[in-house]
Amino acid sequence: MKILFFCPRWGHAHVPWNVFAQQVKAAGYDGVETDVPADEKEREQLLETLAKHGLLLVAQHWETVTPDFDVHLPAYVERLQRMAAVSPVCINSQTGRDFFTMEQNGQLIDAAAQVAAATGIPVYHETHRSKFSFAAHVTAAYLQQFPGLQLTLDLSHWIAVAESFLQEQQPAVALAVSRTRHIHARVGHTQGAQVSDPRAPEWEAALQVHLDCWDEVVRINKQAGLQQLTVTAEFGPPPYMPVLPYTQQPVASQWEINLYMKALLNSRYNHNPFA
């Protein structure tokens, strides 16, 4: 099974697309994870630039946040349809709100499934704070109710919400792992969704918790016969990245950390018989 690696546009929106795409390609990524612009000209520029550099696209949905569900639902469907129309590898969706009812979030999950069925573009729902999937035990209930529900697993959010490494919620984590088709490779800790630098020895235990989980995702997907699995090295910029007081300078380089994560997982999975 081939693991494909994607670079987040998040944190690099100030870099012109052509320059960014050149950097991403030179760094050895297979593609980019980004939102799809509503503006037609901007959208065409994005697609032309990715095609020029031979980069794949994971379309990222995060924009639908209105608390009015009657407005939220059609806006959500419109954005998913726009993303599916550009033929990404998949859509990664931050779906729903944590304060919506299970029935309301369920309508969004069903709507995403309908878009996926109509277009052939899979929609994976990201485990993310403030969304329907904000906690392991809550997401487990949705996974049980919606057997077709598949996830983008970002374990860091659940660890921050639970203020633990989820030792007491292993059945919920195992269920989520079994339904994961895209990974966000960020390392969190019990007091936040991003460690300062996963290369530092003080974060070794936190990194290992995530590696153990990702190993299982890879094993299950390989056993299921999937030909590829997508991973976005998704350490973010400030305020996810800690900064020094007063100067507000980041304590590490987002770009370098994500390259480290890509290299670590590429070596672990693409150059290892285990994968």
Side-chain angles (χ1 to χ4, degrees):
M1 183 176 68
K2 178 70 173 176
I3 312 295
L4 300 178
F5 290 95
F6 291 77
C7 181
R9 177 66 168 166
W10 180 37
H12 306 287
H14 60 288
V15 181
W17 260 111
N18 193 52
V19 175
F20 178 65
Q22 288 177 354
Q23 294 171 341
V24 169
K25 187 68 175 181
Y29 287 98
D30 298 292
V32 172
E33 180 165 339
T34 185
D35 61 301
V36 175
D39 180 80
E40 183 176 356
K41 185 176 180 180
E42 292 180 14
R43 188 164 62 246
E44 287 304 313
Q45 179 189 22
L46 164 64
L47 298 176
E48 289 172 4
T49 302
L50 294 180
K52 174 183 175 182
H53 294 280
L55 294 168
L56 301 171
L57 171 66
V58 168
Q60 184 180 53
H61 167 265
W62 54 268
E63 307 100 319
T64 312
V65 295
T66 176
D68 184 338
F69 184 77
D70 292 334
V71 176
H72 192 113
L73 176 59
Y76 178 69
V77 171
E78 185 277 327
R79 284 167 172 79
L80 292 188
Q81 290 173 334
R82 180 207 309 157
M83 292 180 173
V86 303
S87 300
V89 174
C90 63
I91 296 171
N92 169 43
S93 175
Q94 295 181 14
T95 303
R97 301 299 302 270
D98 53 3
F99 54 80
F100 282 171
T101 66
M102 192 168 192
E103 180 182 0
Q104 289 172 324
N105 282 322
Q107 289 183 54
L108 296 169
I109 293 168
D110 282 338
Q114 292 169 18
V115 171
T119 63
I121 305 299
V123 179
Y124 306 141
H125 301 270
E126 183 178 350
T127 58
H128 202 288
R129 289 171 299 167
S130 86
K131 310 305 176 183
F132 86 83
S133 53
F134 68 94
H137 69 288
V138 173
T139 306
Y142 285 96
L143 290 168
Q144 290 161 356
Q145 181 166 329
F146 297 93
L149 175 61
Q150 296 180 321
L151 300 176
T152 293
L153 185 65
D154 188 334
L155 199 65
S156 68
H157 288 282
W158 286 356
I159 288 171
V161 167
E163 293 192 320
S164 78
F165 285 116
L166 305 171
Q167 302 94 324
E168 298 174 344
Q169 299 191 59
Q170 286 307 298
V173 173
L175 178 58
V177 164
S178 73
R179 304 274 279 276
T180 294
R181 299 297 178 267
H182 180 48
I183 294 172
H184 270 188
R186 183 173 60 249
V187 176
H189 59 106
T190 60
Q191 300 303 315
Q194 181 167 304
V195 301
S196 57
D197 191 330
R199 299 166 294 188
E202 60 265 31
W203 298 120
E204 182 178 357
L207 174 60
Q208 191 61 52
V209 167
H210 291 74
L211 288 172
D212 290 344
C213 185
W214 300 334
D215 286 352
E216 188 67 6
V217 171
V218 172
R219 186 192 68 79
I220 287 172
N221 279 276
K222 182 184 179 184
Q223 190 174 51
L226 269 70
Q227 296 302 304
Q228 65 182 37
L229 182 70
T230 51
V231 176
T232 298
E234 219 226 3
F235 274 76
Y240 267 68
M241 175 72 68
V243 296
L244 297 173
Y246 303 105
T247 65
Q248 296 296 293
Q249 290 300 304
V251 299
S253 164
Q254 177 198 9
W255 178 262
E256 290 179 4
I257 287 176
N258 283 332
L259 281 179
Y260 165 78
M261 294 303 300
K262 178 177 73 69
L264 174 67
L265 299 184
N266 187 45
S267 175
R268 192 177 185 89
Y269 302 134
N270 282 333
H271 303 289
N272 188 323
F274 159 76

